[in-house]
Amino acid sequence: MAKVIASAHPALPKPPVRKIARPLLHFLQIESASGVVLLVCTVIALTLANLEAVQQWYHDLWHTYVGVEIGSWKLGGGLGHFFINDVLMTIFFFVVGLEIKRELVAGELRDPKKAALPVAAALGGMVVPAAIYMALQWGQPGFRGWGIPMATDIAFVVGVMTLLGHRIPFGLKILLLSLAIVDDIGAVIVIAIFYTDDLNLLMLALAGGGFALTYTLNRLGVRAVPTYVVVGAFIWLAFYKSGVHPTIAGVLLGLLTPASAWVGDATLREVLQDALVRAPGPGPERYSVLRDVSFTARECISPLERLELALHPWVGFVIMPLFALANAGVHIEWDEITDPIALAVALGLLLGKPIGIFLFSYGAVQAGLARLPQGVNWKVLLGGGSLAGIGFTMSLFVAGLAFGDDPHRLASGKIGTLTGSLLSVLAGTTLLLVFLPYRDKPLLGLGESPGNANSLDNGSSAASSNHNASAAAHSSNNNSSAAVSPVDAASASGTISPPDDPPAGSESNSSRSR
């Protein structure tokens, strides 16, 4: 995920600590930075899990009990499984819900014609890998892990695309980023339906009441975040006790988050003009006027966008790295690398993803439902599909759900995920290096040259101009700052200007990627 944030007004004071922290802020605002941190944590976890001197300590650390006890009532579990996988990952899935909501309201998935290709590609990228796994594990005890190779980890995909530089066409970035959102929807559905056992209907009813209360509070205009935190904690607990994985509660709460601002730009201008007249004088009136200004400025940004901006660094640089440290560490032995489960997962990612994405996209184009984006031909799509075989966060998460009670199968599922992801990086990078020409610099801020794009087009549409038009229309309709789209992230050069820095020319639009 990444955001592009405009610089602060030059008249505002600049605390010395901001200058000290500027290099760190700059790093945290690079699109590929979260992927780099995730990769480093994965290497650390694998190293600790395979060093004989510390592997027992590493294992015991994540099984340390953490919890809350009030009298006879207890809630807790292992540090890795309960606190990270059940609690912290709910926040990750909440952000996934926010992204899905934003894409459905203001992004590429809002327009059925634009959504046709990423939806078809994502379906192929889920169905074919699962089918390959099922075929190889049919009738075997490991059959339950068919959902493992279905996911794409967009943080790593964005990191690889960044390393490939300006040769990556804007249209491919749009497709892969939008595909990842649909992919997340599919993963959430699979987890909710196929990896849920022993339902407690009473707890589900209580959770439903919590969602109804959340919706009512939204309609009544309650804006206090602590109120929603309390209600959300109640919903999480109800899901946890219901048998449905509590991370699903995070997704649903994200989908319930309002995507439009409460206060429009016209009201903001009116309040600011009034403040210029009334605020200069001392006394209670000054406090009241400035309080109104503060409230108006905050409510000019939709809750969805505000929460995404606030939670992005925590998810990208705290929660996901902790998840990698707790889940990627697996003791590697040759017999486990060649284990049938590991091979099924690896082949599902390495072969199933590109084949599924290619075939379903080809079918959608031939049926007249979709067109290839500008700058993307079938060879480039095959390379992008190979990159989509990088499955990490969601794949490891599903492996834990499928084989959490069987350490050997769980290790095989994780090894297959890591092996398939590594081979997908090599395959996708090689194909894109061969099929795409080198470019010294992006043109029009889109990361592609019109001439090169046209030579690769094969009848595709100008996705960038269509997106800009739809985003502008959405912003105008809401009279507020529109929620950020992953398409914008693709058009950015890869970094965000820290608050003190002047915005770069190619990064004037808000952007994010996940």
Side-chain angles (χ1 to χ4, degrees):
M1 289 180 261
K3 302 280 188 293
V4 172
I5 304 174
S7 59
H9 193 280
L12 294 176
K14 299 177 178 61
V17 68
R18 183 172 294 176
K19 295 181 179 180
I20 298 173
R22 182 182 294 179
L24 176 61
L25 290 173
H26 185 71
F27 173 76
L28 295 179
Q29 294 164 343
I30 297 176
E31 277 187 14
S32 58
S34 61
V36 172
V37 173
L38 206 56
L39 178 60
V40 170
C41 288
T42 301
V43 172
I44 292 174
L46 286 170
T47 302
L48 294 177
N50 288 276
L51 285 178
E52 188 174 351
V54 295
Q55 60 184 199
Q56 188 59 46
W57 170 85
Y58 173 82
H59 178 271
D60 293 341
L61 171 65
W62 301 114
H63 285 80
T64 304
Y65 179 84
V66 293
V68 177
E69 297 185 9
I70 303 176
S72 60
W73 184 82
K74 297 181 180 180
L75 177 66
L79 176 62
H81 179 74
F82 172 74
F83 182 69
I84 293 178
N85 292 6
D86 290 346
V87 178
L88 292 185
M89 286 300 286
T90 300
I91 301 175
F92 167 83
F93 276 87
F94 175 69
V95 174
V96 169
L98 294 176
E99 293 170 344
I100 293 171
K101 175 71 173 283
R102 176 180 35 71
E103 281 301 292
L104 292 173
V105 171
E108 289 297 293
L109 302 182
R110 178 175 62 110
D111 185 346
K113 292 183 179 179
K114 290 184 179 181
L117 186 61
V119 168
L123 286 176
M126 291 185 286
V127 171
V128 176
I132 290 177
Y133 184 98
M134 288 178 175
L136 295 175
Q137 284 292 303
W138 191 267
Q140 302 298 317
F143 183 81
R144 179 174 167 81
W146 59 268
I148 299 174
M150 294 175 63
T152 295
D153 195 299
I154 198 62
F156 278 125
V157 174
V158 168
V160 174
M161 287 194 296
T162 301
L163 293 176
L164 291 175
H166 302 317
R167 72 174 68 232
I168 300 297
F170 178 60
L172 183 62
K173 295 179 181 180
I174 293 176
L175 178 59
L176 291 180
L177 292 167
S178 300
L179 177 153
I181 299 297
V182 182
D183 203 63
D184 285 340
I185 297 174
V188 169
I189 294 173
V190 167
I191 291 172
I193 297 177
F194 298 102
Y195 292 103
T196 295
D197 301 314
D198 303 325
L199 288 179
N200 185 322
L201 297 181
L202 175 60
M203 288 297 161
L204 281 180
L206 291 175
F211 287 123
L213 178 59
T214 302
Y215 178 79
T216 302
L217 292 173
N218 281 334
R219 300 295 295 175
L220 292 175
V222 176
R223 291 321 218 206
V225 173
T227 302
Y228 292 101
V229 171
V230 172
V231 177
F234 170 79
I235 294 173
W236 179 91
L237 181 60
F239 263 79
Y240 183 78
K241 296 294 185 179
S242 73
V244 179
H245 200 276
T247 53
I248 302 299
V251 177
L252 296 177
L253 285 170
L255 292 173
L256 280 175
T257 303
S260 58
W262 206 16
V263 175
D265 291 341
T267 302
L268 174 63
R269 286 192 294 269
E270 183 178 336
V271 171
L272 291 176
Q273 290 170 354
D274 181 65
L276 291 174
V277 176
R278 299 169 56 201
E285 184 179 19
R286 175 184 174 86
Y287 171 79
S288 176
V289 170
L290 294 181
R291 183 182 59 186
D292 290 343
V293 170
S294 175
F295 173 82
T296 305
R298 184 179 69 252
E299 295 303 332
C300 270
I301 303 175
S302 70
L304 187 150
E305 184 179 0
R306 191 162 62 243
L307 286 169
E308 267 200 291
L309 288 167
L311 292 176
H312 157 249
W314 293 101
V315 170
F317 298 100
V318 178
I319 294 176
M320 290 177 66
L322 282 175
F323 177 84
L325 287 172
N327 291 272
V330 56
H331 184 65
I332 300 177
E333 295 182 2
W334 177 252
D335 60 337
E336 289 181 333
I337 295 178
T338 57
D339 182 90
I341 293 176
L343 290 176
V345 173
L347 290 176
L349 291 171
L350 177 63
L351 300 179
K353 276 289 183 180
I355 292 174
I357 290 173
F358 185 93
L359 290 180
F360 277 58
S361 298
Y362 185 80
V365 171
Q366 292 300 310
L369 300 176
R371 289 186 293 177
L372 290 180
Q374 183 174 336
V376 178
N377 62 14
W378 293 114
K379 294 179 181 179
V380 174
L381 181 65
L382 185 62
S386 294
L387 281 187
I390 305 174
F392 186 80
T393 306
M394 200 71 79
S395 292
L396 293 179
F397 189 81
V398 173
L401 296 178
F403 303 129
D405 56 349
D406 190 323
H408 173 71
R409 293 193 183 109
L410 177 59
S412 297
K414 291 181 177 181
I415 290 173
T417 296
L418 297 174
T419 303
S421 297
L422 177 59
L423 293 176
S424 295
V425 170
L426 297 176
T429 301
T430 301
L431 290 174
L432 291 176
L433 286 174
V434 171
F435 296 145
L436 286 171
Y438 173 76
R439 296 168 186 172
D440 293 328
K441 59 182 179 179
L443 298 181
L444 307 175
L446 302 180
E448 67 183 30
S449 163
N452 290 336
N454 290 336
S455 67
L456 293 170
D457 181 28
N458 287 351
S460 60
S461 62
S464 59
S465 60
N466 289 344
H467 166 72
N468 292 336
S470 64
H474 174 75
S475 177
S476 175
N477 290 339
N478 282 296
N479 234 354
S480 63
S481 177
V484 191
S485 168
V487 179
D488 298 318
S491 65
S493 63
T495 61
I496 315 169
S497 299
D500 293 341
D501 298 335
S506 63
E507 299 174 352
S508 58
N509 295 328
S510 296
S511 74
R512 45 76 58 203
S513 70
R514 195 197 71 75

